[in-house]
């Protein structure tokens, strides 16, 4: 059974600081997704990572994938209040690309 | 263009009743997914469709849950004999194919009293 673990689960940081969220998964996969969820809202797709070494960046967020270590990171650069949200990673197992398994999310609070 | 829509946005029902939750995917998206999200947790996979057929329904918790997508577009998630433990937000997503970026709807909050 595929397990996806995120850490930390809660993160409070100051504006302007950098931090990294980690996503570990337990079995071979070739697709990893990052989503953002604002309170009371649905999920918004941030990144799709398809291969080992993939790196994608959008604004202050950068995601990377290491399939050998079964690890993805979401790096936040110079955080701003608008980044406050819950971030989820999700993984598709190699043999069943439609069945995504989600982590429990990292709730990020950026304080002025 | 229009995103994924779900109706109703909220549903309160009594234990033991039957409910139907509807999902309208983005036009042209062949893959459609249902998830369930409880408070403080990540979405939990229920079922996904590729076209009209259920490609994987292994996440449906038991036989009280059933989903259809008869014409390969709109999907309905049906729950019989609802239980209080079924209370959650039910999310629908669609994509151009399996393994591609999923676009989520706003969800249906189901409360079983």
């Amino acid at each position: 059974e595929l397990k996806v673990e995120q850490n930390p689960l809660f993160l409070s940081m100051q504006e302007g600081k950098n931090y990294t969220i980690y996503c570990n998964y337990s079995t071979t996969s070739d697709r990893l997704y990052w989503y953002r969820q604002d309170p009371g809202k649905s999920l918004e797709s941030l990144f799709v990572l398809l291969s080992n070494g993939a790196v994608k960046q959008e604004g202050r967020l950068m995601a990377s994938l290491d399939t050998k270590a079964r690890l993805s990171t979401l790096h936040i650069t110079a955080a701003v209040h608008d980044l406050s949200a819950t971030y989820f990673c999700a993984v598709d197992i190699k043999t069943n690309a439609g069945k995504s398994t989600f982590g429990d999310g990292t709730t990020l609070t950026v304080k002025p | 263009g229009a995103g994924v829509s779900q109706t109703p946005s909220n549903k309160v029902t009594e234990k033991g009743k039957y409910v139907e939750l509807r999902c309208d995917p983005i036009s042209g998206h062949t893959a459609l997914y249902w998830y369930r999200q409880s408070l403080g947790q990540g979405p939990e996979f229920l079922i996904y469709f590729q076209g009209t057929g259920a490609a994987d329904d292994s996440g449906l918790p038991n036989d009280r849950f059933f989903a259809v997508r008869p014409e390969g577009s709109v999907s309905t998630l049906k729950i019989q004999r609802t239980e209080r433990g079924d209370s959650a937000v039910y999310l629908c997503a669609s994509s151009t194919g399996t393994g591609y970026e999923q676009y989520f709807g706003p969800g249906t909050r189901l409360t079983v009293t």
Side-chain angles (χ1 to χ4, degrees):
Chain A
E1 179 188 346
L2 173 60
K3 293 188 188 303
V4 180
E5 292 185 353
Q6 289 183 236
N7 71 85
L9 297 182
F10 297 93
L11 175 58
S12 179
M13 54 191 298
Q14 298 288 128
E15 279 192 329
K17 298 292 188 183
N18 304 332
Y19 208 84
T20 300
I21 298 170
Y22 297 88
C23 173
N24 291 271
Y25 55 96
S26 62
T27 193
T28 303
S29 170
D30 59 358
R31 279 180 172 82
L32 190 137
Y33 311 86
W34 283 98
Y35 296 90
R36 169 183 172 143
Q37 186 174 39
D38 291 292
K41 304 288 188 182
S42 192
L43 280 78
E44 173 192 355
S45 176
L46 295 174
F47 302 108
V48 181
L49 302 171
L50 299 177
S51 60
N52 187 42
V55 177
K56 291 196 174 179
Q57 183 161 6
E58 181 72 35
R60 301 174 187 275
L61 300 178
M62 183 174 70
S64 66
L65 178 61
D66 180 342
T67 58
K68 293 179 181 177
R70 298 178 183 170
L71 171 69
S72 179
T73 61
L74 181 66
H75 187 72
I76 303 154
T77 301
V80 294
H81 179 70
D82 285 353
L83 290 179
S84 297
T86 298
Y87 294 86
F88 292 96
C89 65
V91 177
D92 287 357
I93 62 173
K94 205 170 179 65
T95 54
N96 192 347
K99 182 179 178 179
S100 292
T101 299
F102 281 75
D104 281 337
T106 296
T107 299
L108 171 66
T109 303
V110 181
K111 298 181 176 178
Chain B
V4 178
S5 63
Q6 292 185 245
T7 54
S9 55
N10 279 286
K11 176 72 177 177
V12 180
T13 190
E14 292 180 349
K15 179 176 178 295
K17 299 289 189 182
Y18 168 82
V19 297
E20 290 190 351
L21 312 179
R22 176 185 168 109
C23 173
D24 277 273
I26 292 172
S27 177
H29 279 193
T30 59
L32 184 146
Y33 313 79
W34 283 100
Y35 297 88
R36 177 167 72 173
Q37 186 175 26
S38 300
L39 192 63
Q41 298 183 9
E44 172 193 16
F45 171 84
L46 296 177
I47 184 172
Y48 87 91
F49 292 86
Q50 182 60 44
T52 60
D56 188 329
D57 64 358
S58 62
L60 295 176
N62 51 58
D63 61 6
R64 295 186 297 106
F65 289 74
F66 189 71
V68 295
R69 195 186 185 200
E71 297 177 357
S73 178
V74 170
S75 176
T76 305
L77 178 66
K78 308 180 180 193
I79 311 174
Q80 298 178 321
R81 304 183 305 279
T82 51
E83 299 177 356
R84 292 194 180 89
D86 299 335
S87 297
V89 175
Y90 289 81
L91 295 168
C92 174
S94 69
S95 66
T96 56
T98 54
Y100 291 89
E101 183 177 16
Q102 294 182 27
Y103 296 84
F104 280 78
T108 294
R109 181 175 298 279
L110 175 66
T111 304
V112 182
T113 62

